[in-house]
Amino acid sequence: MAIIDNYISKNEVANLIGKDITVIDAHGNSIKEYKWAEMTHGTVCTSILAEKFEDANITAVSLWDSHMEISLEEVCSAFQLFEKSNFKCICLSIGIHNWIHLHALYNITQRIVSDGIQILSSGSNDEKITFPAAYPWVLGVKYMPYISGIKRIYKSEDGCDIATGFFKSQVLEKLSIRNSFLYFRRCSSHSLGCSGAN
């Protein structure tokens, strides 16, 4: 299983769940650990995914340039790492709202899925149309606190296909002790691991 996200700390994932994962950049190179940036969105989402898929070998593609931004080119390069691979699933808990320049993402995600690899992508927390989650060949996931379990969405304004209700996560429980304001609340990108696990 693969996950593509913003900066992912291999050390912090191991501290949170006691599991070693492979972390590379968008070109397949190992990345440097930045102590000051351990608890990023990517680290939290990767940890939840690794928690829910405890037996899976996980390769995480950590995206960040020197300005701590993620470019569309980087996302497409990360997807290209998995073309014609043996991976069964790629999870992406980041997305793009801007419809301009999406041609490359459109093409690479279609090719990945035609290779038999499932893409799970989180939708926006504010129901904006987000790519790649909104593509019909990608399984778009979002968090809806008022539902129970996992539900299929048949007509979705934001293009998501399934929604998860409240779920338990040891990772989020540990982190909420550090900062309950930041980590007690669930969101669409957190629900990616829960949705894929069921």
Side-chain angles (χ1 to χ4, degrees), residues 110-179:
Q110 273 204 326
R111 289 197 312 266
I112 292 280
V113 170
S114 69
D115 288 342
I117 301 169
Q118 176 68 61
I119 299 173
L120 275 79
S121 181
S122 64
S124 166
N125 291 318
D126 51 8
E127 298 192 27
K128 290 181 180 173
I129 294 176
T130 306
F131 298 97
Y135 290 139
W137 51 90
V138 171
L139 187 62
V141 178
K142 69 179 175 180
Y143 177 65
M144 297 174 80
Y146 49 85
I147 69 166
S148 175
I150 297 175
K151 302 281 186 209
R152 175 100 173 123
I153 304 170
Y154 292 100
K155 292 193 177 191
S156 172
E157 292 177 1
D158 60 3
C160 285
D161 305 291
I162 59 174
T164 64
F166 185 83
F167 58 92
K168 292 188 177 189
S169 165
Q170 292 177 8
V171 168
L172 291 176
E173 286 169 20
K174 281 183 189 178
L175 291 173
S176 69
I177 293 168
R178 294 185 198 177
N179 186 328

Side-chain angles (χ1 to χ4, degrees), residues 8-168:
I8 299 163
S9 168
K10 178 178 179 157
N11 293 342
E12 192 61 34
V13 171
N15 288 339
L16 282 169
I17 61 163
K19 181 176 180 176
D20 194 34
I21 63 167
T22 301
V23 181
I24 56 177
D25 68 13
H27 306 288
N29 306 311
S30 28
I31 64 156
K32 181 179 179 181
E33 285 280 325
Y34 295 100
K35 194 94 178 131
W36 56 269
E38 286 179 339
M39 202 47 61
T40 60
H41 173 267
T43 299
V44 173
C45 293
T46 301
S47 298
I48 294 169
L49 195 73
E51 170 194 350
K52 299 297 181 181
F53 290 89
E54 54 189 323
D55 296 331
N57 290 326
I58 295 177
T59 296
V61 182
S62 182
L63 307 178
W64 250 12
D65 65 13
S66 58
H67 305 290
M68 295 184 285
E69 295 177 354
I70 299 172
S71 68
L72 180 59
E73 292 77 22
E74 249 191 328
V75 174
C76 291
S77 292
F79 272 118
Q80 286 171 348
L81 291 173
F82 302 108
E83 266 192 289
K84 308 288 183 197
S85 71
N86 292 327
F87 282 83
K88 301 287 183 226
C89 181
I90 300 171
C91 297
L92 188 78
S93 63
I94 53 176
I96 299 163
H97 299 302
N98 189 341
W99 291 48
I100 301 170
H101 309 304
L102 283 175
H103 189 69
L105 185 62
Y106 180 97
N107 288 336
I108 187 65
T109 56
Q110 273 204 326
R111 289 197 312 266
I112 292 280
V113 170
S114 69
D115 288 342
I117 301 169
Q118 176 68 61
I119 299 173
L120 275 79
S121 181
S122 64
S124 166
N125 291 318
D126 51 8
E127 298 192 27
K128 290 181 180 173
I129 294 176
T130 306
F131 298 97
Y135 290 139
W137 51 90
V138 171
L139 187 62
V141 178
K142 69 179 175 180
Y143 177 65
M144 297 174 80
Y146 49 85
I147 69 166
S148 175
I150 297 175
K151 302 281 186 209
R152 175 100 173 123
I153 304 170
Y154 292 100
K155 292 193 177 191
S156 172
E157 292 177 1
D158 60 3
C160 285
D161 305 291
I162 59 174
T164 64
F166 185 83
F167 58 92
K168 292 188 177 189

